Amino acid sequence: MKAGSRVTGRSERKREADRLATLSSYKVLDKAPENAFHRITQLVADIFSAPLASISLIDADREWFKSSVGFAESQIDRNESICARAIESAETLVIEDASLDSRFAGSPMVRGEPFIRFYAGAPLIAPNGKVLGALWIADTVPRFRITANKLNQLKSMADIVMSEMELSREIGLREQAQKTAAVARSNLDLTLALSDIASFRIDLETGLIDWGGAYMKIWGEDAGEAASEVESALDRVHPEDRETIRLAMSAAVDELEKFEARFRIVLPSGEIRWLEGYGDYLEANGRPTLTGINKDITHSIDQQEQLKLHTRELHHRLRNLFATLQSIMTLTKNSATSIDDYIERIHNRLSALNRAQQILLDTNFVTGSFAALVDDLCRTYPGVQWSGPDIILAENAMVSLSLVLNELATNAAKYGALTNDTGAVRISWAIRPEQDGPDIVELNWAETGGSPLQAAPSEAGFGSSLIDHSITRNLYGKIERNWALDGLKCKITFPAPDERGHS
């Protein structure tokens, strides 16, 4: 076989694979009959006074009849299909007498029932140019000299069929996107609830509030109804703090400042709670929206005198958490392509924050186990393994490293070693003594077995910026990336903490 023939064969196989992929994307094969398509088929049969008509789709090894008039078969072998010839070009196929045409005389539909003689098929052409099948009519007697006007009518009807398929696909994609967004929102609410954080989203045109997370725990069990609008929620704010909230909201909307406030609410029982809130203004589906979070800080405000030191440590941790959330929410909003993309990204990064916060909560609120943090990450990403001595880290270092590892793992799952079953990630670390300064923690991230990397990304996204910021500014460390062919390699170094977890 000549080299040119091999290249042509590969090219044809590639085109056919692309065509089948396009057909599959419409999710129409073997689907139950639909009235919209049957009406078109019947209309075409009536217009052309044809006893036989069909909307046919050509799969890998069969012609499948999406809708048909005049025969009962649901499919035939592709090798015996007349319609299969229609996908070889984007032109209408006309056969005046199939019994006299050597290409089709042996077809079961010509030799036997329904004894096709005349055939005319207009291709079904997807927006990307791939021919998926044909809308065809047939007769049991030959027809000669079909007019160009009639063929144009048939082609117009084929375009209508394709438009109907495209509309059906778009509806399916939108429904799937809505389901995905609903799942992401549910997961986000669960993450916030586990963190004892309430989320809010205010439609500034209607004043309606969409609550999430632990809002009933914070604002009261009746908050879903009693605080469903801005004014009713403000009624629950302490009278001395209402003007503070109004000014913060106005600044967020009119001056595009971040919404941040500490205020009291009065529950129906008379109980007073202190809340700290953060929010931001954005356009959600073209509507002005204020979105953010609330945290109940009553306990820290009301703690007894002998617990002041612990209160300061806890407040410091909350401030760090809110500062981190502020940075993530702001930069994620700027890089998100849609509200659904915004929710998904926020969910992933809040999960990383929650992972660190939960470990801190299990100890003393201010320090946590790095080994426990990595082990928890491995439960989410089974392809990740780790080894290294346990290190007790301060809250800021725990949060920073949790965000760093989450970004690396997310990227590995989307683009790197964790995109297939053969890939793996190895996290290892050790404490390295330094002669001229404090000991150094050397943390290595090594990906293997993933798709070969061609080169480093041409530009850094928010995830890379978040990694660099967390390491250089929060950990006072350094990061080295090596985009090796077999996977990303990272070496992170930062000062080792002392016995109390402080660097």
Side-chain angles (χ1 to χ4, degrees):
M1 182 183 293
K2 295 182 179 180
S5 298
R6 290 196 297 270
V7 172
T8 300
R10 286 197 297 270
S11 179
E12 290 177 352
R13 289 192 295 272
K14 175 64 167 56
R15 284 196 296 271
E16 175 65 2
D18 291 344
R19 190 191 71 81
L20 291 173
T22 301
L23 175 60
S24 177
S25 71
Y26 286 88
K27 301 186 185 301
V28 69
L29 292 174
D30 298 312
K31 195 174 180 181
E34 298 176 75
N35 288 334
F37 292 100
H38 182 70
R39 284 195 295 267
I40 295 174
T41 309
Q42 186 64 61
L43 179 61
V44 169
D46 293 342
I47 290 174
F48 290 89
S49 299
L52 306 169
S54 173
I55 297 172
S56 291
L57 300 170
I58 306 302
D59 200 2
D61 55 6
R62 60 174 174 158
E63 173 186 354
W64 183 70
F65 304 117
K66 172 63 179 170
S67 173
S68 63
V69 171
F71 57 95
E73 289 85 349
S74 62
Q75 64 184 43
I76 62 171
D77 190 276
R78 179 171 173 172
N79 294 327
E80 301 173 345
S81 167
I82 299 176
C83 181
R85 290 298 183 108
I87 69 169
E88 297 176 359
S89 72
E91 301 298 329
T92 301
L93 175 64
V94 178
I95 306 165
E96 294 179 336
D97 189 343
S99 67
L100 301 179
D101 193 319
S102 60
R103 297 173 298 172
F104 309 110
S107 170
M109 298 187 76
V110 175
R111 290 187 292 105
E113 292 287 349
F115 297 104
I116 290 177
R117 292 296 177 265
F118 169 76
Y119 173 96
L124 300 175
I125 305 174
N128 65 359
K130 303 301 179 184
V131 181
L132 309 183
L135 170 64
W136 57 266
I137 58 171
D139 203 341
T140 56
V141 296
R143 292 189 188 185
F144 301 99
R145 294 182 296 277
I146 185 171
T147 65
N149 182 56
K150 285 291 186 181
L151 292 180
N152 286 335
Q153 284 182 306
L154 185 62
K155 184 178 183 304
S156 295
M157 297 301 291
D159 292 341
I160 292 174
V161 171
M162 198 65 242
S163 297
E164 188 70 26
M165 288 177 58
E166 190 68 21
L167 176 62
S168 179
R169 180 172 70 164
E170 288 300 322
I171 292 174
L173 290 175
R174 181 172 298 182
E175 289 176 348
Q176 183 58 47
Q178 290 173 342
K179 290 178 182 178
T180 301
V183 171
R185 181 62 187 269
S186 176
N187 291 338
L188 175 60
D189 281 345
L190 178 59
T191 300
L192 292 173
L194 293 174
S195 302
D196 287 337
I197 294 175
S199 68
F200 62 83
R201 184 167 56 188
I202 303 174
D203 186 324
L204 295 172
E205 290 185 355
T206 64
L208 295 176
I209 304 177
D210 183 14
W211 291 103
Y215 72 96
M216 288 191 295
K217 184 175 181 180
I218 294 174
W219 284 80
E221 294 184 357
D222 64 339
E225 296 181 0
S228 60
E229 300 181 57
V230 171
E231 290 304 320
S232 61
L234 285 173
D235 288 342
R236 192 156 288 190
V237 175
H238 195 286
E240 296 178 3
D241 297 336
R242 287 175 191 164
E243 187 62 22
T244 298
I245 299 300
R246 291 186 187 276
L247 289 174
M249 291 180 62
S250 297
V253 176
D254 299 333
E255 303 175 24
L256 299 181
E257 294 183 359
K258 305 299 179 291
F259 171 82
E260 190 170 2
R262 179 182 293 184
F263 56 97
R264 291 161 291 177
I265 61 173
V266 183
L267 299 182
S269 64
E271 178 187 355
I272 297 177
R273 291 181 182 174
W274 276 93
L275 305 186
E276 191 165 41
Y278 167 80
D280 202 358
Y281 174 83
L282 56 83
E283 296 285 337
N285 297 323
R287 301 180 69 85
T289 304
L290 185 64
T291 182
I293 58 173
N294 291 150
K295 180 74 177 181
D296 185 347
I297 57 170
T298 305
H299 182 64
S300 64
I301 294 293
D302 295 337
Q303 241 178 354
Q304 296 179 3
E305 187 66 24
Q306 61 268 32
L307 297 178
K308 282 185 178 181
L309 177 61
H310 181 67
T311 302
R312 286 195 297 269
E313 289 284 352
L314 178 60
H315 180 64
H316 176 71
R317 183 176 71 89
L318 288 171
R319 295 292 294 179
N320 282 346
L321 174 61
F322 278 107
T324 303
L325 284 169
Q326 175 180 344
S327 175
I328 288 175
M329 293 179 72
T330 301
L331 295 176
T332 301
K333 184 197 73 171
N334 294 336
S335 62
T337 58
S338 67
I339 188 63
D340 294 334
D341 182 45
Y342 177 79
I343 290 174
E344 179 183 3
R345 296 188 186 201
I346 285 291
H347 165 67
N348 288 337
R349 286 159 183 158
L350 281 178
S351 295
L353 285 177
N354 184 60
R355 189 179 295 119
Q357 296 299 324
Q358 188 61 50
I359 293 172
L360 292 166
L361 182 64
D362 290 341
T363 52
N364 59 4
F365 293 96
V366 294
T367 60
S369 163
F370 180 58
L373 180 69
V374 178
D375 189 61
D376 194 51
L377 177 74
C378 294
R379 295 192 185 98
T380 304
Y381 298 93
V384 180
Q385 298 180 330
W386 65 273
S387 63
D390 197 8
I391 303 174
I392 302 302
L393 298 174
E395 174 265 343
N396 187 50
M398 285 285 289
V399 170
S400 297
L401 284 170
S402 182
L403 290 171
V404 167
L405 294 177
N406 177 73
E407 293 297 324
L408 290 172
T410 299
N411 287 337
K414 287 185 175 180
Y415 314 112
L418 300 183
T419 57
N420 58 54
D421 295 336
T422 61
V425 175
R426 182 73 181 178
I427 304 175
S428 60
W429 66 89
I431 298 178
R432 190 179 69 201
E434 291 287 304
Q435 293 181 348
D436 301 327
D439 293 347
I440 295 294
V441 176
E442 180 176 308
L443 172 65
N444 289 285
W445 174 282
E447 299 184 25
T448 57
S451 301
L453 297 176
Q454 302 301 319
S458 58
E459 60 182 43
F462 169 52
S464 297
S465 300
L466 178 61
I467 291 174
D468 293 340
H469 181 278
S470 298
I471 293 171
T472 58
R473 297 193 181 184
N474 296 342
L475 297 174
Y476 306 103
K478 299 178 181 179
I479 179 171
E480 299 176 14
R481 296 179 176 88
N482 177 16
W483 300 92
L485 183 62
D486 61 336
L488 173 64
K489 308 291 188 296
C490 289
K491 183 171 78 172
I492 300 169
T493 55
F494 58 91
D498 58 23
E499 294 180 354
R500 296 183 301 170
H502 299 292
S503 300

